[in-house]
Amino acid sequence: MARRVRHGQRPRALLRGPQGGTHQAPGTTTGNAALLDAFTEHQAPTPEERVGAAPLLLFRAVSRNGKVKGFVEFCGLGVIERAERIVQWAGHEHTTFTNFVYDIALIDLTAENDQVDWDWITARRTPTVSDQESLAKAPRAWREWVKRGNSALPRVRRRVARARVTKVRDQHPAPGSQRDDDLRFIYEQFDKRKHDFEAVASAVAARVLRGSGHNYREGWITQRSGDGGTDFVGRIDLGSGLAGTSLVVLGQAKCIRPDNLVSAEQIARVVARLRRGWIGIYVTTGAFSEPAQLEMVEDQYPIVLINGLDLARELRSMARDDHGNDLEACLHHILYAQGVPITSRRPEEILLQ
């Protein structure tokens, strides 16, 4: 089965015909017949009929350790919204055959931590368990769909933006781990030296952006007063010559308690300072709230977020690569030997360097 995504959240399933076409009538092949039966159930007009509808569990192939076959990843729980009959080309002789393409709505599993309780599937397969009894084990959004039908899909459909949101607990190092010790050490070093932390944030931002393949240049650290809320400035160069351009990078650094959160309002204040062709980067010892991340994704804010866990990981990596794994020596080098100037210049001046 091949899949493609339309409108960012609606996978389309296309069952491929065999090389050179098929002699079977459309809809009678095993895969299409099963999906058409499911489609009929998913379009049922009453809750009594929908309660027995077959849920679609969607997977995609992934690679593991260089192997591209034999591994799958769970993508979600689906309801077929639409089935369309099409004609496809097949084979080197360009023969045609009739097939079906399906629009599938993915159901929101946020309440279940993006997981499906297999007890629900087992209950559905057990003859002695009624449909209503098995429904009690179903995900909350699925139960809502059974009750309301396809009119509920706008409310229960999975929001793709949520897939790009990192839960707060996943932004914290494991308690007692080296990352946890490193993050606490970093916070204690700069809790009373917020301006010094800006130099560290600038260095980490440079490492992250360069590690992503960007040609990034550090500019300067802003002075304590009159910086307009910007803590450091940098530049990303794309292409070269007439085929090149540069982007101003405005950096924000927040040394806060590792268990504290950066809010949506705080990120929005950084975004408000951006001009066309500029991007932001926010570096903190804390974590970013889930509403803040969701707003950033949905409003397409041009900003990069580096939380405390990522900060500790990058600094430990820098210490290991260049300072004999001595984190304190790494921080000392950033502050006193890195050579990034402190100035109150306008951000756009970075484009003239």
Side-chain angles (χ1 to χ4, degrees):
M1 177 183 291
R3 302 183 186 91
R4 61 187 186 271
V5 177
R6 187 172 69 183
H7 304 318
Q9 57 187 3
R10 183 180 299 153
R12 306 196 86 195
L14 180 65
L15 294 185
R16 297 192 184 280
Q19 185 84 352
T22 179
H23 298 293
Q24 292 182 258
T28 61
T29 56
T30 303
N32 272 326
L35 284 177
L36 288 173
D37 285 343
F39 176 59
T40 300
E41 296 172 344
H42 293 172
Q43 298 300 309
T46 66
E48 291 74 21
E49 295 173 278
R50 289 190 295 270
V51 71
L56 296 186
L57 301 180
L58 304 181
F59 299 83
R60 65 178 175 184
V62 295
S63 60
R64 290 287 186 272
N65 300 320
K67 297 181 179 180
V68 295
K69 291 185 178 181
F71 300 95
V72 295
E73 179 180 69
F74 179 59
C75 296
L77 173 66
V79 171
I80 302 177
E81 289 189 275
R82 188 176 298 105
E84 179 184 355
R85 185 167 167 166
I86 63 173
V87 176
Q88 290 183 270
W89 291 94
H92 298 296
E93 298 178 358
H94 300 294
T95 55
T96 62
F97 66 96
T98 304
N99 204 351
F100 283 88
V101 62
Y102 305 88
D103 283 353
I104 301 173
L106 293 182
I107 298 298
D108 184 18
L109 296 176
T110 302
E112 292 76 27
N113 195 28
D114 288 327
Q115 297 178 352
V116 170
D117 186 351
W118 204 251
D119 286 345
W120 173 42
I121 306 301
T122 300
R124 289 181 55 91
R125 298 175 62 244
T126 304
T128 57
V129 178
S130 69
D131 288 339
Q132 287 294 340
E133 290 173 325
S134 66
L135 183 63
K137 299 178 180 292
R140 184 171 63 186
W142 181 269
R143 297 197 302 268
E144 177 69 11
W145 171 78
V146 169
K147 182 179 180 180
R148 306 292 183 186
N150 284 356
S151 64
L153 285 179
R155 297 192 303 276
V156 303
R157 187 191 302 273
R158 189 180 76 182
R159 297 169 68 183
V160 172
R162 289 193 178 277
R164 297 177 57 187
V165 171
T166 302
K167 296 184 181 301
V168 170
R169 66 172 180 269
D170 294 332
Q171 299 179 61
H172 295 308
S177 65
Q178 183 185 59
R179 292 279 184 271
D180 189 37
D181 292 341
D182 287 347
L183 183 55
R184 293 185 183 280
F185 176 77
I186 295 164
Y187 169 70
E188 290 168 0
Q189 288 290 306
F190 298 103
D191 180 35
K192 306 298 183 183
R193 302 157 56 198
K194 306 293 188 182
H195 192 59
D196 286 345
F197 180 71
E198 295 170 7
V200 174
S202 177
V204 170
R207 184 178 177 89
V208 169
L209 293 174
R210 289 169 185 159
S212 301
H214 297 294
N215 184 10
Y216 179 77
R217 175 175 178 174
E218 284 187 86
W220 55 83
I221 311 299
T222 59
Q223 293 182 340
R224 282 185 172 86
S225 60
D227 59 13
T230 301
D231 295 326
F232 60 90
V233 177
R235 187 182 80 203
I236 291 178
D237 296 323
L238 304 173
S240 61
L242 294 178
T245 190
S246 297
L247 306 177
V248 174
V249 178
L250 292 188
Q252 181 74 40
K254 283 294 180 185
C255 182
I256 58 178
R257 288 177 55 88
D259 56 354
N260 282 359
L261 298 179
V262 174
S263 68
E265 290 76 16
Q266 290 171 300
I267 293 178
R269 283 198 291 269
V270 177
V271 174
R273 301 184 187 104
L274 301 179
R275 301 181 187 176
R276 183 187 297 272
W278 294 15
I279 67 171
I281 187 163
Y282 203 119
V283 184
T284 182
T285 49
F288 298 97
S289 72
E290 292 177 34
Q293 297 177 69
L294 191 59
E295 181 174 316
M296 184 197 76
V297 174
E298 292 184 334
D299 291 346
Q300 299 181 341
Y301 288 165
I303 189 167
V304 178
L305 306 181
I306 300 177
N307 58 44
L309 176 60
D310 293 333
L311 173 74
R313 181 187 298 114
E314 294 298 333
L315 285 171
R316 174 56 65 180
S317 180
M318 293 167 67
R320 185 173 54 249
D321 292 346
D322 303 318
H323 303 282
N325 208 29
D326 187 333
L327 182 57
E328 187 172 5
C330 175
L331 296 175
H332 186 275
H333 176 81
I334 291 173
L335 293 175
Y336 304 110
Q338 196 95 324
V340 178
I342 298 175
T343 182
S344 60
R345 300 170 64 183
R346 291 176 297 144
E348 57 269 28
E349 292 184 42
I350 189 70
L351 299 176
L352 304 178
Q353 293 187 351

